[in-house]
Amino acid sequence: MGIVEILGVAGSLSLLAGWRLYLTILATGVAMHFGWLPLPDHLQSLQILANPWVLGVALVGTIAEFLADKIAWVDSIWDGVHSFIRPLGGALLALALVDSSDPAWQVVAFLLGGGGALLSHGAKATTRAVVNVSPEPFSNVAVSTGEDVATGGLLALAIAYPPIAIVIAVLMFVAAVIVIIALRRLLRNIKATLKRTLGDEPVSELPPA
């Protein structure tokens, strides 16, 4: 892989780690175990993801995340717990993909990987906060299942076709920014509506007689 493909794969994996950290690690490790993701010599350290113990822990984490993510408010608690873990995992994934002989690239990869994972995690957590306000129980499962399918599909594309991984990373970045901005506005509107409904809006002072 060339530098563009490496950056594309690193960006895609980091952003996807913000959605599904354990699934991303599991899929990447399985791809390396079976040779689906060829690595240059300087990336051989990433083969640790193919270690059976790492794969086992990632599998347990994937199952736990899959189940927790389908239950309203439990998913938000899970997201809250992983607000630090996902960005760190995304940063380490990006760090492992960059040439260890170049400290500058290592720092850049760590910062961008962590930032990308934090951004996509923020988009996911904000989406769930909005979905959990809905009184019906099916939207949560539908959104979670959609995230599962999207993560698996984008992981497969990034691993199978590294040249298009940079496109995936850019699209995910732009989509995450748009989602966060739109949903934060929606949350503010929902809160304002609830305050008016419950009569919590401050009463304006009457003008003097």
Side-chain angles (χ1 to χ4, degrees), residues 142-155:
V143 171
S144 178
T145 303
E147 289 176 357
D148 292 331
V149 174
T151 302
L154 292 175
L155 275 171

Side-chain angles (χ1 to χ4, degrees), residues 127-197:
T127 301
R128 290 315 180 82
V130 173
V131 172
N132 285 335
V133 175
S134 173
E136 49 82 23
F138 304 109
S139 56
N140 186 279
V141 176
V143 171
S144 178
T145 303
E147 289 176 357
D148 292 331
V149 174
T151 302
L154 292 175
L155 275 171
L157 281 175
I159 290 172
Y161 305 103
I164 70 170
I166 187 69
V167 178
I168 295 173
V170 171
L171 291 177
M172 286 190 63
F173 177 86
V174 173
V177 172
I178 293 173
V179 166
I180 288 177
I181 293 174
L183 291 181
R184 286 191 179 278
R185 289 178 179 174
L186 179 59
L187 278 175
R188 285 198 298 267
N189 292 336
I190 291 174
K191 288 180 180 179
T193 301
L194 287 175
K195 284 183 177 181
R196 286 195 297 268
T197 302

Side-chain angles (χ1 to χ4, degrees), residues 20-30 34 48-68 78 82 148:
R20 296 286 189 275
L21 173 62
Y22 303 107
L23 177 58
T24 301
I25 293 175
L26 179 63
T28 306
V30 169
F34 290 102
I48 188 63
L49 297 180
N51 181 283
W53 286 102
V54 175
L55 290 176
V57 172
L59 177 60
V60 172
T62 299
I63 295 172
E65 189 164 57
F66 177 84
L67 296 175
W78 182 271
H82 285 77
D148 292 331

